[in-house]
Amino acid sequence: MVKILNKEVQNYINANLRTDLHALLLKKSPFPEVFMQEIVQQIKGKQVAEKKFPFLLKEGIVFPPQLNLEQSSSEKTALYKSEILKGKTFIDLTSGFGIDAYYLSRNFEEITLVEQNTELLEIVGHNWDILGRKARLINRKLEDFLKENQEKFDTVYLDPARRDQNKNKVFLLEDLSPDILAIQETLLSISGQVVIKLSPLIDLKYLISVLPQTYRIDIIALKNDVKEIVIFLSKEKKEEIIYHCVNLDSGESAFTYRFGEEENAEAEYSEPEKFIYIPDNTILKAGAFNLISKRFGLKKLHPNTHLYTSSVRLENFPGRIFEMDVVDSKSIKKKGQFNIISKNYPLKPEEIKKKYGLKDGGDQYLIFTQSKKGKIILKSV
């Protein structure tokens, strides 16, 4: 790691940030003690940091291999989580590249990071020195640490690995590393609050069924792309689970509700009126299909069509709003340019484009969907 920090090497890295990396890998390293693969790794790290965690674009920061970068939280999602948690003692049992730990630890006095990858932990320790942040670093397997640990912490945090031995993605809790179901009681014995980051693809009903100590679920999106499911566990008996649907960088307020609210909500139905509403993907992931209708006084088009309508525009709706008309398929001209949305409709957008000879893009939208009366096409005004 010391060799990659050599000033001449760093200058070479910075001078090649926009170079074709495949071509660069074919070249011989100009530095006898630093391989070209190591140089490219740092270039990739800086490129990822520009978009994902720009706070690391500082002199002296070292980046890990690509897989560690991919598995790390973004700066924006980590910052959101840091605003929720506080206390005296914090431990990250799967610290990885340490992005979450760096932000989550800001409201704690004593920080402990556990990581089994020696090289990765050395990188984190070096970077935290550069950033002026202190932590106790423990280079051990999580399971070994938990067997011998006698300490208690205000908050325990985990981001389990979501790939199996063959690098395939896994989603069930028992398939993760570590196996959350196997260690959940141990985790709750050392902390009053356990926070776990999970894949956005995990099924929430399954999650609640296997982790009954869950009292809060945060569904976090960045510009309407769901990035993380974060769950909060506690041994203390809580009231109903609270859901927080958060769409970062959207300018929208979080949509928060209790589990029973959706169970008891009933939606009204209507044929399309002047305005059509598509909820944020966080709300769709949460399954708050009837509650969003009730909260905002909107009507659904169909029980299985999660589109909503009203005659008057609601400005504070957490999602997209379109002014639209119902149109006949014969009125759609070939080679027209539209953004195509398919909701509860037999054809996918690609199939619709092929059938009607349409092009992607432009300012207008076509929504192919169903109301209670049957299949309809909506066109933006």
Side-chain angles (χ1 to χ4, degrees):
M1 185 163 61
V2 174
K3 296 171 185 175
I4 203 75
L5 291 169
N6 178 285
K7 188 174 182 180
E8 290 183 357
V9 177
Q10 287 292 309
N11 287 341
Y12 184 84
I13 289 169
N14 291 328
N16 285 278
L17 289 178
R18 300 294 173 259
T19 301
D20 182 336
L21 298 185
H22 294 290
L24 200 60
L25 280 169
L26 297 175
K27 293 183 178 181
K28 183 180 179 181
S29 171
F31 309 101
E33 297 182 334
V34 180
F35 293 112
M36 186 57 81
Q37 289 90 336
E38 295 176 279
I39 291 171
V40 169
Q41 178 176 307
Q42 297 309 304
I43 293 173
K44 284 182 179 178
K46 286 178 179 285
Q47 290 174 346
V48 171
E50 286 178 352
K51 294 181 179 179
K52 199 171 180 181
F53 16 77
F55 80 100
L56 288 181
L57 294 174
K58 294 179 181 291
E59 186 177 343
I61 293 293
V62 176
F63 294 94
Q66 183 74 15
L67 182 59
N68 300 121
L69 296 172
E70 290 174 1
Q71 292 175 341
S72 297
S73 292
S74 71
E75 181 176 337
K76 289 181 178 179
T77 58
L79 179 60
Y80 166 77
K81 286 174 282 190
S82 75
E83 295 168 351
I84 301 168
L85 302 171
K86 62 181 179 180
K88 183 180 179 182
T89 55
F90 170 87
I91 185 167
D92 187 337
L93 290 170
T94 54
S95 73
F97 188 38
I99 303 298
D100 272 332
Y102 178 80
Y103 277 95
L104 291 170
S105 68
R106 296 197 306 178
N107 296 326
F108 292 84
E109 297 174 26
E110 300 172 14
I111 317 303
T112 302
L113 308 182
V114 179
E115 173 55 51
Q116 64 179 355
N117 184 324
T118 304
E119 182 182 353
L120 187 56
L121 193 62
E122 288 176 355
I123 289 173
V124 171
H126 166 81
N127 288 345
W128 279 41
D129 285 342
I130 296 291
L131 297 167
R133 182 67 56 84
K134 293 183 179 180
R136 176 176 55 152
L137 307 180
I138 298 177
N139 185 203
R140 299 196 69 184
K141 283 188 174 182
L142 175 153
E143 292 84 356
D144 294 339
F145 171 80
L146 289 177
K147 283 179 185 177
E148 299 181 9
N149 172 65
Q150 299 296 319
E151 297 180 67
K152 292 188 182 295
F153 304 87
D154 292 334
T155 296
V156 169
Y157 182 77
L158 297 92
D159 179 5
R162 295 186 284 276
R163 290 184 184 272
D164 61 19
Q165 294 179 343
N166 298 318
K167 306 293 183 182
N168 297 316
K169 291 184 178 181
V170 293
F171 307 104
L172 296 178
L173 297 184
E174 58 266 36
D175 294 332
L176 303 181
S177 180
D179 176 350
I180 298 300
L181 299 186
I183 64 171
Q184 59 179 311
E185 292 302 324
T186 303
L187 297 175
L188 288 164
S189 72
I190 65 172
S191 178
Q193 178 169 248
V194 176
V195 182
I196 307 173
K197 171 187 164 185
L198 296 168
S199 163
L201 298 178
I202 197 162
D203 183 86
L204 299 186
K205 289 183 179 179
Y206 154 77
L207 197 57
I208 295 167
S209 69
V210 296
L211 290 177
Q213 300 92 342
T214 302
Y215 71 90
R216 172 173 174 159
I217 298 176
D218 283 32
I219 302 158
I220 307 171
L222 185 59
K223 295 180 180 178
N224 209 29
D225 182 8
V226 179
K227 297 293 187 181
E228 303 174 7
I229 304 295
V230 179
I231 62 171
F232 297 71
L233 312 181
S234 174
K235 286 188 76 171
E236 295 180 14
K237 186 171 177 60
K238 304 282 184 178
E239 296 181 4
E240 288 181 288
I241 297 170
I242 298 176
Y243 289 81
H244 291 268
C245 302
V246 183
N247 188 11
L248 303 175
D249 272 13
S250 69
E252 299 165 0
S253 300
F255 183 77
T256 301
Y257 68 97
R258 293 188 179 276
F259 179 78
E261 288 186 86
E262 172 61 24
E263 298 292 310
N264 297 323
E266 292 185 11
E268 290 186 53
Y269 295 90
S270 167
E271 291 303 298
E273 296 182 340
K274 188 175 182 179
F275 296 98
I276 299 295
Y277 301 78
I278 305 179
D280 283 343
N281 287 331
T282 57
I283 295 167
L284 297 176
K285 175 65 183 179
F289 306 130
N290 292 336
L291 183 60
I292 196 77
S293 172
K294 182 180 177 181
R295 283 260 185 104
F296 290 92
L298 300 171
K299 296 173 183 177
K300 279 192 86 174
L301 299 188
H302 183 279
N304 298 322
T305 300
H306 306 311
L307 296 175
Y308 305 80
T309 190
S310 72
S311 58
V312 178
R313 183 184 177 97
L314 296 176
E315 296 297 340
N316 61 339
F317 180 78
R320 291 186 286 173
I321 307 171
F322 300 94
E323 185 176 348
M324 309 197 86
D325 289 331
V326 178
V327 297
D328 189 276
S329 60
K330 294 177 183 178
S331 69
I332 301 173
K333 295 180 180 180
K334 283 198 171 186
K335 297 185 180 179
Q337 193 171 30
F338 295 95
N339 297 288
I340 298 168
I341 297 171
S342 176
K343 296 277 188 181
N344 191 27
Y345 195 80
L347 301 179
K348 296 177 181 178
E350 286 299 321
E351 294 171 320
I352 291 169
K353 281 191 293 182
K354 186 176 180 180
K355 179 178 178 179
Y356 292 96
L358 301 175
K359 296 179 181 179
D360 252 336
D363 298 324
Q364 285 196 301
Y365 282 77
L366 284 176
I367 299 179
F368 291 75
T369 188
Q370 290 190 57
S371 70
K372 278 199 163 184
K373 290 185 178 179
K375 290 183 284 188
I376 54 173
I377 302 172
L378 301 163
K379 181 181 177 183
S380 59
V381 175

